[in-house]
Amino acid sequence: MHWTEMLLSSVSSFALTIMAMPIIIGYFRTKQLGQTTRDDGPKWHEVKTGTPTMGGVVFLIASVISTVWVGVWQKSLSISLGLLLFITLLYGLLGFLDDFIKVFRKRNLGLTSKQKLIGQLVGGLLFFIVYQLNNLPTNLTIPLIGSIDFGWFYGIFALFWLVGFSNAVNLTDGLDGLVAGTAGIAYTAYAFIAWNQQQTDILIFCLTIMGGLVGFFFFNKKPAKIFMGDVGSLALGGGLAAVSILLKQEWSLLLIGLIFVIETASVMIQVTSFKLTGKRVFKMSPIHHHFEISGWSEWRIVLAFWFISLITAVLSLWLVF
């Protein structure tokens, strides 16, 4: 795949996102529909109440359209690409339902955690069944140990990976531009790996997501004109996990997606500590809120997390190559 064709994949998604986003923002403002901030969140986030949300719908649709037409043009439609689009759209649909209930039905909680988990597990199970039926590799490479074929038991890992990282990216989505940047860096890293492996189908997918996120960032940077919502964050996390599985670079996501791992770990540590000792380890979790309450500006936190993501992505690429 020539570099001009790779650029076109990203530019297509970027252009569609840039053109459609103002329409969505205008619709939400006209209907006076928007995000409701958490009651237990930082008080200064109250100014964000009413900001349009569900922006993830735009960059996801833009990415899917671009992926399909470029895939057809490059004759790169495949089972792997189908699996990527399936898990991304299904997890995006779960997020869409959650956002829709919150915004249009005025129910703060949206889908229950149980409903979302069931949907994620069903989606992950269908992903693995198709994966297995097409005889895709079920080996897992463990650093310092080697490659082990787990057969059907690989499905347990795949479910954990898909659900875990989908929720991890969702937890990270709490500051203007944070996930747009960290996820964009992660997809860029996997685009390099896909290019190195000559997996054009996965490369196209990563490039279109990158383009969509860059377009979205212009509207999501502080002060955000729109948030991506669960429709965007759940889809991005599921897509990242699926990409790492299909490239057989599963372990790399722990490093490339280190920020997502840290954010999730901070919530788990906070909950466990409070239940066992009645004390909190962080001022607030996920950890980006801890830094906010500690006096860091929103931009300082976002830039610091981006920088960490960039460093871990470069380190991962060095280890892979």
Side-chain angles (χ1 to χ4, degrees):
M1 191 175 183
H2 195 266
W3 70 268
T4 55
E5 294 161 346
M6 291 191 287
L7 182 63
L8 187 58
S9 301
S10 292
V11 169
S12 171
S13 183
F14 169 81
L16 289 172
T17 302
I18 284 288
M19 290 187 293
M21 198 66 75
I23 298 172
I24 297 297
I25 293 173
Y27 172 79
F28 272 83
R29 286 179 175 169
T30 301
K31 298 294 183 179
Q32 295 185 325
L33 299 168
Q35 177 86 16
T36 301
T37 55
R38 290 167 46 186
D39 294 333
D40 58 344
K43 296 302 178 185
W44 51 90
H45 278 212
E46 290 176 0
V47 298
K48 300 185 181 189
T49 295
T51 301
T53 187
M54 299 175 74
V57 170
V58 178
F59 70 73
L60 283 180
I61 292 176
S63 299
V64 170
I65 291 172
S66 300
T67 296
V68 172
W69 85 256
V70 175
V72 171
W73 176 43
Q74 290 290 314
K75 298 178 181 178
S76 296
L77 297 182
S78 65
I79 291 299
S80 292
L81 189 58
L83 284 170
L84 285 174
L85 292 175
F86 166 74
I87 205 70
T88 302
L89 288 174
L90 181 62
Y91 280 19
L93 177 60
L94 284 172
F96 177 85
L97 292 173
D98 189 48
D99 291 332
F100 184 86
I101 293 170
K102 291 175 184 175
V103 175
F104 290 89
R105 296 295 174 83
K106 307 295 183 182
R107 276 172 43 193
N108 259 359
L109 295 178
L111 293 176
T112 66
S113 56
K114 184 177 180 181
Q115 288 171 329
K116 278 196 280 191
L117 179 60
I118 291 172
Q120 288 171 312
L121 288 173
V122 170
L125 184 60
L126 291 172
F127 172 93
F128 180 68
I129 289 172
V130 176
Y131 183 97
Q132 181 78 336
L133 290 175
N134 282 276
N135 298 314
L136 293 171
T138 53
N139 61 298
L140 181 62
T141 301
I142 303 173
L144 305 178
I145 295 177
S147 180
I148 302 174
D149 191 345
F150 286 91
W152 280 97
F153 289 103
Y154 183 80
I156 298 174
F157 166 81
L159 281 176
F160 171 77
W161 216 236
L162 291 165
V163 175
F165 274 97
S166 176
N167 289 324
V169 175
N170 184 237
L171 286 172
T172 306
D173 185 30
L175 301 178
D176 297 353
L178 179 55
V179 166
T182 50
I185 291 169
Y187 275 99
T188 302
Y190 280 118
F192 275 106
I193 295 174
W195 172 78
N196 184 62
Q197 293 185 7
Q198 297 185 340
Q199 296 207 47
T200 306
D201 48 359
I202 300 176
L203 173 59
I204 290 170
F205 175 80
C206 291
L207 290 172
T208 58
I209 292 289
M210 286 163 48
L213 284 173
V214 173
F216 173 71
F217 175 72
F218 279 95
F219 303 92
N220 183 240
K221 67 182 187 298
K222 186 175 176 63
K225 295 181 178 68
I226 191 168
F227 302 133
M228 70 170 60
D230 285 8
V231 59
S233 57
L234 289 176
L236 289 173
L240 274 176
V243 165
S244 71
I245 289 170
L246 291 164
L247 290 174
K248 301 313 299 171
Q249 293 290 340
E250 299 93 340
W251 66 268
S252 66
L253 190 50
L254 293 174
L255 196 52
I256 291 174
L258 183 62
I259 287 297
F260 309 131
V261 175
I262 291 172
E263 292 271 28
T264 304
S266 70
V267 173
M268 294 171 68
I269 291 169
Q270 186 87 323
V271 171
T272 302
S273 175
F274 189 75
K275 284 186 175 181
L276 293 178
T277 67
K279 297 180 180 178
R280 293 179 171 85
V281 176
F282 306 104
K283 294 177 181 179
M284 188 177 178
S285 66
I287 200 169
H288 57 257
H289 288 318
H290 169 84
F291 289 112
E292 272 194 293
I293 295 173
S294 297
W296 285 38
S297 69
E298 194 165 344
W299 258 123
R300 183 184 178 189
I301 299 167
V302 169
L303 290 174
F305 281 28
W306 284 1
F307 181 72
I308 293 169
S309 293
L310 184 60
I311 294 299
T312 57
V314 171
L315 178 58
S316 296
L317 291 175
W318 178 75
L319 291 172
V320 168
F321 295 155

